[in-house]
Amino acid sequence: ITSSNSLRVSFDMDSNYKQRLTPTKATKASPTRLDHSSSPLYFDRHIPSSTAKQLRDTFSLLGTQTSSENQTHFESCSRLTYEQILQNEVLGQQLPFYSPTSENQGLKATPPASPNSRLFHYSRQQRPLDDSLYSLSPMGMNSQALLSSPKKAPRKIPKVPFKVLEAPAIQDDFYLNLVDWSSQNILAVGLHQSVYLWNASTSMVTKLCDIEGDAQIASVSWMGRGSHLAIGSTQGSVTLWDVTKQKQVRSFSGHKSRVGTLAWANSPRWLLSSGSRDRTILHHDVRSQGNVGELIGHKQEVCGLKWGYNPTSYLASGGNDNKLLLWDQRMFNSSIDSTPTQPFHTFSSHRAAVKAITWSPHQRGLLASGGGTADQRIKFWNAVTGQELQHIDTGSQVCNLAWSKNVNELVSTHGYSQNQISVWHYPSLTEVASLTGHSMRVLYLAVSPDGQTIVTGAGDETLRFWSLFPQAPTSSPTSSALSSPFSSMPQIR
């Protein structure tokens, strides 16, 4: 009884047992069809491509790292050296050396002798005896020379400013531009209703002027040769001052609200452009008293203006409407009463005000722009084609941008929430350094005439001087004009 009950239980537990034992009629076979959309295909072999272009993706050995990882100089050189050795030994390239200071970070290579030659083959040619460190290594002579070549030491950027100046009553306003550095090594600072000049060679401070009435200083900008200073006010006026004579020589009207940004054209050098809260951009001929053009394109305040280096006829304008507009001087109308000039490119991908704008002095038509608190990105554009090339998510408000003329790097200053100063390498977009010191938003930025030092200003009422960039390759090894007055004073408060 126990056995039969056990058998009954086992058969009841498997109700399909009988169906599995009973043979079924063969059904007509239907042709199978592969549905690529519903099921993935798998293969048992993978033959990698042997081209140098696909080496990184095929072998998954040399994956690029994101800019947020902040790759160090040593790790970058090691990775690129390893990449060259792979190309030497596997692909038959000839890469005897690598230049980490090259602009495009390219590999100095010569093509193989025969493009159809086999990758792996036996050779009867014997290598000459060598007593070097890699004499017993199976690597070729080019790879050995690559490993034996000296590596350039990474540049050290000081983490603290070498000089700090007081800037009482400097305004904490994102839309103003109150600091500029002239080619004559004189720093102009707008404080409330006054403009002060600080000579970096002698450390002497002089007051240039005071604005009468209720107006305040909204922007300052030096002429290219450093002899004249343009000043924009909160009431819409633009004045031009002769610094040597400390005398006002021109006054321009036309704006109905504050003039928060000024920009001098690189060619012709007598053309001054001003952007206002009234949403217009005016062009002034400083040789006369009149305005020579008007640009209307922004729907809110114009807070950023910058003339291009190459081509010099391009003008970039950023506004509080989150737009970046590109204008061509050759399309400007000579009369304000004529048909308004239209921008030839309009970029709308920023999600906050665009104040930070800079042009690359190293590459034609390369433009960088930064967005405010809701955007926090630095975007790179091809101004000729209108194409967005790359972007960086900085994690904080982008207040200013400046491209170094000595090396292919740019510096950015930031506000909420980190208040940092960052140095970026282009085109790798790796962060070279991140500096902190200001307790409030770093709203103001200017670069010294030798291109080695920057000054930053913030609402904490301080101006801080930082040594960021090396000397220009063509400059003489003598010390700059900035280093002499500061050499005996490493830290002043």
Side-chain angles (χ1 to χ4, degrees):
I1 297 175
T2 305
S3 301
S4 61
N5 291 338
S6 301
L7 291 173
R8 186 180 298 110
V9 172
S10 64
F11 278 105
D12 292 341
M13 290 177 62
D14 193 357
S15 60
N16 297 325
Y17 177 75
K18 184 176 180 179
Q19 296 180 4
R20 295 203 309 269
L21 293 179
T22 305
T24 59
K25 296 182 179 181
T27 59
K28 185 178 181 180
S30 59
T32 59
R33 181 178 58 186
L34 294 178
D35 189 358
H36 297 280
S37 61
S38 60
S39 60
L41 297 178
Y42 298 95
F43 301 94
D44 59 342
R45 297 185 64 193
H46 173 64
I47 302 177
S49 174
S50 60
T51 60
K53 180 179 180 181
Q54 300 177 352
L55 179 66
R56 185 191 308 274
D57 299 329
T58 303
F59 293 97
S60 299
L61 295 175
L62 308 169
T64 57
Q65 300 179 359
T66 59
S67 58
S68 60
E69 297 179 3
N70 300 336
Q71 185 181 35
T72 61
H73 177 86
F74 176 78
E75 292 173 345
S76 177
C77 291
S78 300
R79 178 178 59 82
L80 292 171
T81 301
Y82 178 58
E83 180 177 344
Q84 293 183 44
I85 293 177
L86 280 182
Q87 295 194 33
N88 279 345
E89 303 303 321
V90 178
L91 304 181
Q93 301 285 342
Q94 300 177 10
L95 302 171
F97 67 94
Y98 165 69
S99 176
T101 59
S102 60
E103 262 189 31
N104 55 359
Q105 295 292 318
L107 302 177
K108 306 299 183 181
T110 56
S114 174
N116 299 323
S117 62
R118 293 176 298 171
L119 292 179
F120 304 101
H121 63 279
Y122 294 99
S123 176
R124 296 181 180 180
Q125 185 177 4
Q126 297 182 354
R127 298 176 181 174
L129 296 178
D130 188 8
D131 295 334
S132 64
L133 179 64
Y134 303 99
S135 59
L136 301 180
S137 174
M139 293 184 298
M141 299 300 296
N142 289 327
S143 298
Q144 295 182 24
L146 178 66
L147 293 174
S148 302
S149 60
K151 302 298 184 297
K152 184 179 179 180
R155 186 173 91 249
K156 295 182 179 180
I157 298 179
K159 295 293 184 180
V160 295
F162 63 86
K163 187 176 182 65
V164 179
L165 294 178
E166 296 281 357
I170 192 169
Q171 299 186 58
D172 183 27
D173 194 328
F174 177 79
Y175 300 98
L176 305 185
N177 293 273
L178 300 177
V179 177
D180 197 20
W181 209 327
S182 77
S183 59
Q184 301 296 325
N185 212 15
I186 298 178
L187 186 70
V189 183
L191 300 177
H192 196 53
Q193 292 184 315
S194 304
V195 174
Y196 292 88
L197 305 178
W198 180 76
N199 192 316
S201 301
T202 62
S203 298
M204 294 184 60
V205 178
T206 57
K207 179 188 286 189
L208 176 64
C209 65
D210 288 316
I211 292 184
E212 300 178 355
D214 297 332
Q216 297 182 10
I217 305 298
S219 57
V220 293
S221 181
W222 285 99
M223 197 176 184
R225 58 186 181 185
S227 58
H228 292 75
L229 178 69
I231 302 174
S233 71
T234 56
Q235 291 186 347
S237 64
V238 177
T239 56
L240 184 66
W241 289 76
D242 187 330
V243 177
T244 305
K245 301 178 180 179
Q246 294 190 353
K247 179 182 178 181
Q248 178 180 322
V249 294
R250 291 288 186 274
S251 178
F252 303 98
S253 60
H255 287 298
K256 301 177 182 179
S257 186
R258 70 179 178 188
V259 181
T261 178
L262 298 167
W264 290 89
N266 294 308
S267 178
R269 296 186 178 273
W270 45 260
L271 183 62
L272 172 66
S273 300
S274 59
S276 173
R277 198 174 188 175
D278 61 8
R279 302 173 294 179
T280 64
I281 301 172
L282 295 181
H283 302 299
H284 316 281
D285 185 349
V286 297
R287 300 173 300 179
S288 63
Q289 290 286 128
N291 302 327
V292 295
E294 181 180 27
L295 302 179
I296 301 177
H298 290 281
K299 297 181 180 180
Q300 293 189 38
E301 178 176 4
V302 181
C303 50
L305 278 179
K306 192 71 67 174
W307 281 95
Y309 293 106
N310 184 14
T312 57
S313 61
Y314 285 3
L315 173 66
S317 65
N320 200 32
D321 54 359
N322 309 343
K323 299 290 180 57
L324 175 67
L325 306 182
L326 293 184
W327 314 81
D328 194 337
Q329 178 190 354
R330 295 167 295 183
M331 301 170 61
F332 290 174
N333 294 317
S334 59
S335 176
I336 296 180
D337 298 330
S338 60
T339 304
T341 303
Q342 299 297 322
F344 67 93
H345 283 313
T346 299
F347 304 120
S348 306
S349 60
H350 281 293
R351 296 175 294 181
V354 182
K355 175 193 175 186
I357 302 173
T358 185
W359 292 86
S360 171
H362 309 284
Q363 184 173 339
R364 171 183 169 84
L366 179 58
L367 174 67
S369 61
T373 306
D375 185 71
Q376 303 180 353
R377 286 180 172 88
I378 301 175
K379 295 179 178 290
F380 299 87
W381 314 87
N382 186 330
V384 179
T385 63
Q387 178 186 5
E388 180 179 346
L389 304 176
Q390 296 169 292
H391 73 270
I392 309 171
D393 189 351
T394 64
S396 58
Q397 179 188 41
V398 183
C399 300
N400 288 283
L401 287 173
W403 215 303
S404 172
K405 63 181 182 181
N406 298 348
V407 291
N408 201 3
E409 296 175 356
L410 67 159
V411 56
S412 60
T413 66
H414 300 270
Y416 304 123
S417 59
Q418 302 178 29
N419 303 329
Q420 82 274 21
I421 303 165
S422 299
V423 182
W424 309 90
H425 179 270
Y426 190 85
S428 64
L429 302 187
T430 55
E431 190 176 34
V432 180
S434 181
L435 312 174
T436 57
H438 287 286
S439 59
M440 298 182 68
R441 297 182 296 175
V442 189
L443 298 176
Y444 310 112
L445 170 68
V447 184
S448 64
D450 61 6
Q452 302 181 44
T453 305
I454 68 167
V455 58
T456 57
D460 57 8
E461 299 185 348
T462 60
L463 298 175
R464 298 173 184 266
F465 295 80
W466 313 79
S467 296
L468 291 189
F469 302 114
Q471 289 184 352
T474 56
S475 62
S476 60
T478 58
S479 60
S480 64
L482 279 176
S483 60
S484 54
F486 302 151
S487 58
S488 60
M489 298 177 291
Q491 188 174 3
I492 297 178
R493 172 66 176 171

